[in-house]
Amino acid sequence: MRAMAYETYGGTEVLRETRLPLPKVAPGEVLVKVRCAAVNPVDWKIMAGGLDSLMDVVYPAVPGWDVSGTVERLGIDVPEFAVGDEVMAYARKDYVHGGTFAEYVSVPVRALAAKPASLNWAQAAGLPLAGLTAHQLLTRLDTSADDTVLVHGAAGGVGSFGVQLAHALGARVIGTASPRNHDRLRGLGCEPVTYGDGLTERVRALAPDGVTVVADFVGGVLETTLAVLAEGGRHASIADHAVLGAGGQWMWVRPSGEDLEALGRLSDEGRLSVDVAATFPLSELGAAFELSQEGHTAGKIVIEI
Ligand SMILES: NC(=O)c1ccc[n+]([C@@H]2O[C@H](COP(=O)([O-])OP(=O)(O)OC[C@H]3O[C@@H](n4cnc5c(N)ncnc54)[C@H](OP(=O)(O)O)[C@@H]3O)[C@@H](O)[C@H]2O)c1
């Protein structure tokens, strides 16, 4: 099969288009024929060696954890799915090797969900990792209609879902982004504020009594978080472990087919949309990573296989 892979840590120059054998399909896994695979910052962070102390990398390493496609083959004992089913997944395994930037990927059933009818292939690939991250963080913080939620990094892949999911729960949502993203964020159910100098004051002006939940999807914003959090408020970050020393939670998204099915249902009910910012062919994965590295994507970058 065709795949993009690397044999050593580095920047996009280490990515090569290559031919690899079809992945093996373990018991409890399915082989997915990939239609689309979405880019997440973690893909190029791992490739650069940034997670070397956390995860084994087995070369040649095919990056990519997000996928939409059809079930091509079933492993032993997979009664939940049939060949031809349309699926999506956050397909992270315990080590980095056979990722989703390839024609085929094997995926554990625990990570798989049916592709929602409301999403096209690119949108379905863009939902899993970022959507699950936002969903699991808001759930962990017991977010409800009683909350005023501040979302740091509201315009990004994770933030766009965080805003919509908090809004769907009935919460009031304030989100930080640069001004060019404000109209889009209003459309997602959020009161936008510009980040940078003076952020704390701008949030206080909108929520003089403080916010009850802070979802940090960008990092480096702890000072503002603590300054605007109401007494008894909850906060968590996906990008800043310093929150651990400040009464917050540092979160890492877990694969969950069940959670992903719930997000798919929200999409089918018209309460969750997926913005695809750009699409690239497989051979241009390096260019897609470089766009992601600029750090100002509004939505998801998707590779079409
Ligand atoms: N721990 C986990 O489980 C987990 C899961 C997913 C992601 N992450 C990490 O979380 C971060 C975000 O991921 P992502 O996929 O959402 O990335 P992304 O889509 O690349 O995020 C880009 C967005 O960040 C916004 N941004 C940049 N600097 C900002 C700032 N100072 N304040 C507010 N917004 C800012 C940009 O908005 P503007 O264009 O308006 O500037 C842009 O919309 C990454 O570091 C990623 O590695 C962690």
Side-chain angles (χ1 to χ4, degrees):
M1 66 171 186
R2 253 172 4 107
M4 294 298 287
Y6 53 92
E7 302 257 10
T8 178
Y9 285 143
T12 54
E13 74 287 348
V14 301
L15 276 173
R16 297 269 181 277
E17 188 167 347
T18 183
R19 300 246 162 210
L20 294 172
L22 281 186
K24 291 182 182 175
V25 189
E29 289 188 344
V30 306
L31 185 68
V32 174
K33 182 172 188 186
V34 181
R35 292 292 295 260
C36 289
V39 172
N40 290 284
V42 73
D43 301 325
W44 45 263
K45 290 180 184 178
I46 290 173
M47 188 172 77
L51 274 70
D52 188 62
S53 63
L54 304 182
M55 294 191 79
D56 284 321
V57 177
V58 178
Y59 297 120
V62 177
W65 283 344
D66 266 338
V67 64
S68 66
T70 50
V71 173
E72 177 82 4
R73 193 151 72 78
L74 301 175
I76 297 169
D77 192 16
V78 181
E80 300 93 332
F81 290 93
V83 170
D85 281 356
E86 298 185 346
V87 293
M88 60 182 179
Y90 163 38
R92 170 163 72 83
K93 298 176 193 162
D94 295 335
Y95 62 98
V96 179
H97 176 60
T100 58
F101 297 122
E103 288 180 311
Y104 295 90
V105 63
S106 58
V107 181
V109 164
R110 63 178 179 274
L112 274 179
K115 173 185 158 303
S118 51
L119 299 181
N120 63 32
W121 292 108
Q123 292 170 319
L127 175 60
L129 189 155
L132 287 170
T133 304
H135 169 76
Q136 290 173 5
L137 182 142
L138 292 171
T139 304
R140 182 86 71 87
L141 294 182
D142 290 325
T143 310
S144 75
D146 297 332
D147 286 307
T148 298
V149 180
L150 172 65
V151 175
H152 290 291
V158 180
S160 301
F161 293 124
V163 165
Q164 295 181 79
L165 293 171
H167 179 68
L169 288 167
R172 178 186 176 200
V173 191
I174 298 168
T176 71
S178 52
R180 71 197 155 91
N181 285 314
H182 285 194
D183 281 346
R184 185 176 144 257
L185 285 178
R186 279 188 200 97
L188 298 180
C190 160
E191 296 163 54
V193 283
T194 303
Y195 60 79
D197 284 350
L199 173 61
T200 301
E201 290 68 32
R202 285 190 288 281
V203 175
R204 278 204 188 118
L206 286 174
D209 295 333
V211 302
T212 53
V213 167
V214 179
D216 169 22
F217 299 139
V218 69
V221 290
L222 183 56
E223 206 175 308
T224 294
T225 294
L226 297 178
V228 302
L229 200 61
E231 203 179 322
R234 298 92 70 202
H235 69 108
S237 178
I238 61 166
D240 191 352
H241 60 82
V243 292
L244 286 173
Q249 302 194 46
W250 183 29
M251 294 221 24
W252 253 85
V253 56
R254 293 183 182 173
S256 166
E258 203 179 316
D259 286 357
L260 195 49
E261 291 279 355
L263 295 179
R265 282 193 296 276
L266 271 183
S267 169
D268 283 345
E269 289 163 11
R271 300 201 293 157
L272 185 68
S273 63
V274 183
D275 285 337
V276 175
T279 58
F280 292 82
L282 182 62
S283 57
E284 289 177 26
L285 180 62
F289 277 6
E290 282 160 15
L291 181 61
S292 170
Q293 284 163 349
E294 289 175 15
H296 295 289
T297 311
K300 296 298 303 179
I301 299 168
V302 174
I303 303 299
E304 296 176 315
I305 309 294

